[in-house]
Amino acid sequence: MARPGRSRVSSMTGMGGVLRYSAVVLGAGGVGKSALVMRYGKNVFLEQYDPTIEEEYDLTVEYEGKRSRLEIVDTAGVEQFTGINESYIQRGMGFVLVFSLTQEASLRDVDHIRQQIYRIKGGEEDVPIVVVGTKMDLTGEREVSSQQMKELAVEWGLPFYETSAKKGWHVNEVFNHLLARMRKRYPDGMPKGHRHRRKDGQCVIM
């Protein structure tokens, strides 16, 4: 798998001709979804987070010489198997499926979510999905091996990444790869009127 380059997140808005893409971050509670998104969007490490909050981030990203608007929905982990989650999947264009390298059970949750995505998307095999193992810096607590991830990457036909939001390791690569897959799958970007609805109190990074 080719290693995607770095992206740059900027504050520029209102640019004509820039295509918009929506990404949904899914996974069990406590696996580090929000820390991953915050490291990417603001380059900070989130020590504490309210797991019941859903947040939406609106970023302008420059990658491979092109700018895109990337809407990232960071879902609450307690919702991953509910009807609310089905709405996210129906409207999402790409998905980051997150598990913790220190918790093998969270990888089984990701498998369940992966199957749910294919079911809701009508069995589409080219749905843009990237699978992410977090907390790779906690080597002494690790329960999921790199070999296990390599085998699943072949079995599922999906890219896997090991990351550390705390250290900033490989976080940009995750979203760059997903953006590249979304650009290929949806060359015209997000259809008009096809946006996630924000709730009061959600954070939008511009």
Side-chain angles (χ1 to χ4, degrees):
M1 179 181 69
R3 192 183 191 88
R6 290 180 61 83
S7 65
R8 183 168 72 249
V9 179
S10 77
S11 60
M12 289 174 286
T13 58
M15 297 176 297
V18 176
L19 298 179
R20 178 182 290 276
Y21 297 90
S22 67
V24 182
V25 181
L26 297 164
V31 296
K33 297 188 302 297
S34 298
L36 188 76
V37 176
M38 286 292 286
R39 173 62 78 180
Y40 177 68
K42 300 190 79 171
N43 197 28
V44 297
F45 176 61
L46 195 65
E47 290 280 2
Q48 299 293 331
Y49 187 73
D50 184 344
T52 66
I53 293 176
E54 166 215 321
E55 302 218 27
E56 181 181 316
Y57 303 82
D58 198 352
L59 311 173
T60 297
V61 179
E62 185 172 315
Y63 176 56
E64 293 186 333
K66 293 193 300 183
R67 287 195 181 106
S68 300
R69 293 290 294 277
L70 182 58
E71 174 188 300
I72 303 175
V73 178
D74 175 19
T75 63
V78 294
E79 295 178 345
Q80 72 256 31
F81 305 129
T82 69
I84 295 174
N85 192 57
E86 291 204 6
S87 176
Y88 291 137
I89 293 173
Q90 287 169 351
R91 298 181 65 82
M93 300 170 74
F95 303 91
V96 179
L97 305 188
V98 184
F99 69 96
S100 171
L101 293 166
T102 67
Q103 186 181 2
E104 188 171 11
S106 65
L107 182 56
R108 292 192 289 272
D109 290 333
V110 158
D111 189 19
H112 184 104
I113 297 169
R114 177 185 68 93
Q115 295 179 49
Q116 188 180 29
I117 289 171
Y118 288 134
R119 176 180 60 80
I120 292 172
K121 290 294 190 182
E124 296 178 33
E125 292 299 325
D126 58 348
V127 178
I129 298 174
V130 176
V131 185
V132 181
T134 59
K135 308 181 184 181
M136 70 178 294
D137 55 299
L138 301 179
T139 54
E141 303 175 34
R142 185 161 180 153
E143 295 184 1
V144 180
S145 69
S146 295
Q147 182 61 34
Q148 188 176 356
M149 293 174 65
K150 289 177 183 177
E151 291 172 359
L152 282 176
V154 173
E155 180 182 340
W156 294 356
L158 296 174
F160 273 64
Y161 282 89
E162 298 183 10
T163 67
S164 168
K166 185 174 184 177
K167 301 292 187 179
W169 295 340
H170 311 305
V171 175
N172 279 7
E173 288 92 330
V174 167
F175 292 94
N176 289 347
H177 196 147
L178 183 67
L179 179 59
R181 291 171 73 94
M182 288 193 292
R183 283 175 173 175
K184 182 177 179 180
R185 176 66 180 81
Y186 304 103
D188 297 324
M190 182 189 297
K192 290 183 179 180
H194 188 78
R195 297 200 63 191
H196 292 277
R197 189 168 49 187
R198 296 189 189 118
K199 300 176 183 177
D200 291 341
Q202 287 183 328
C203 172
V204 180
I205 299 177
M206 301 297 287

